[in-house]
Amino acid sequence: MTLSERDQQVIWHPYTQMQTAPAPVGIVRGEGTLLYDEEGNSYLDATSSWWVNIHGHAHPYIAKQLAAQATELQHCIFAGYTHPPAVNLAERLLPILPGHQQRVFYSDNGSTAVEVALKMCIQYWHNKGQKRNKILAFSNSYHGDTFGAMSVSSRSVFTRVFDDFLFDVHFIDTPTKDNITTLKAQVDALHPSDIAAFIFEPLVQGAGGMLMYEADVFDELLQHCHQHQIMLIADEIMTGFGRTGRNFAMENVSTPPDIICLSKGLTGGSIALGITTCTAEIYNAFLSESKLKTLFHGHSFTANPLACVIALASLDLFLQPSCKENRVRVETQHRQFATQLKTLKLIKNVRVQGTIIAFEIVTDTEDSYINNLADYLHKFFKEKRIMLRPLGNTLYIMAPYCITNEQLDRVYKSIEECVKAL
């Protein structure tokens, strides 16, 4: 039996209707932007394997650091004990983050990083003796699949079955020059002194459809919330580590976040790790002689040494000048391709932010994650051996930064061929 056939006997895949989904491709090896199946065919990873891989697959430097750490310390309880990889990563990461981040709390993935951030904010106000229990978030947002993360995500196909179990959140539109005054008035109408936190995906809403919005009006909204002492949670799980052009999306605004959530590119796509950072003000609110003011949250694999070492290795690569040069090069290529896309009749809303390019393909039904065009697109690009995972009729490219111009051209030509064939 092939790997794919064995898989179908025992595996339940994420975001997949198992009864109708085609057989999965069995991947056995990766190198750079390519992944290889069990028959030796290569697939060009144009979506960074769910937005996590920023340096390419099986990077030798990351593998070397991992192997060395595996012979030293693989895991250690992180309550009452510590280890060099966790301390080293926090020391190196905090100085390059936007704002005034002073403390690192480790968890396992993006959803758990969000859970930690929400609990930090809610308990911060509780520890301060203030009742602020409202949460503000954007429409079309997505922050993860655990219950807290679902609660602060816009109600959608991802949450539909669980909506009755989620806590109430106030959703507002992403800012534009036309609605910014209205948005600030909506915040005021909610009684800002009752709002504990505002959580957002800065500049790009990922699973919501790669929706993009402008930094200047966003900054105006953040400043308004900051003036009301509303805690600002920047979910940089997808946007962090260069995706929007700068190192972190919040570098595009002047208002500093109180909390930052990180995962995905944090380890270069090699292993799961989540980080929630916060300011000294938030951390200090949990310091007390009373154990009841403790943040009672943790994970068995908190600050796993192997994951921390991989994150350090990824950070080494990320901070090299060549990484930034590659990001600039990819963005330049995307903007040139965007000009070509705008000439195609079935393409609308072409947009570029850093290394991300996205657009919608016009269909006779509404734009949505469950638009049936996705099935055709999956099949088309799989046959081309290009990994593109559309969000319904929204197609996007978010490749590892090491992708070559020739490989990008291959993806572009396949997209044009796909659209012209519709």
Side-chain angles (χ1 to χ4, degrees), residues 191-209:
H191 304 291
S193 60
D194 294 336
I195 301 175
F198 173 29
I199 184 169
F200 47 83
E201 301 159 89
L203 301 188
V204 184
Q205 294 181 295

Side-chain angles (χ1 to χ4, degrees), residues 128-174:
K128 299 279 283 186
Q130 297 186 44
K131 187 178 180 180
R132 297 180 72 142
N133 53 17
K134 293 180 181 178
I135 304 292
L136 193 65
F138 279 140
S139 301
N140 298 307
S141 58
Y142 172 84
H143 295 286
D145 291 334
T146 50
F147 271 81
M150 280 197 295
S151 293
V152 296
S153 300
S154 190
R155 304 300 176 256
S156 67
V157 63
F158 298 108
T159 68
R160 181 178 57 83
V161 176
F162 313 105
D163 284 353
D164 290 344
F165 299 91
L166 307 180
F167 60 77
D168 290 334
V169 170
H170 297 279
F171 293 99
I172 60 175
D173 291 337
T174 49

Side-chain angles (χ1 to χ4, degrees), residues 272-327:
L273 180 65
I275 278 180
T276 308
T277 67
C278 71
T279 61
E281 180 183 358
I282 293 175
Y283 173 76
N284 290 338
F286 290 79
L287 302 180
S288 173
E289 295 295 322
S290 170
K291 291 186 177 180
L292 294 178
K293 290 193 174 183
T294 303
L295 179 61
F296 289 106
H297 189 98
H299 302 264
S300 300
F301 284 92
T302 293
N304 174 258
L306 300 177
C308 290
V309 157
I310 288 177
L312 281 162
S314 178
L315 191 59
D316 287 340
L317 298 172
F318 177 70
L319 294 177
Q320 289 179 359
S322 58
C323 182
K324 184 174 183 179
E325 291 166 4
N326 275 333
R327 281 152 36 208

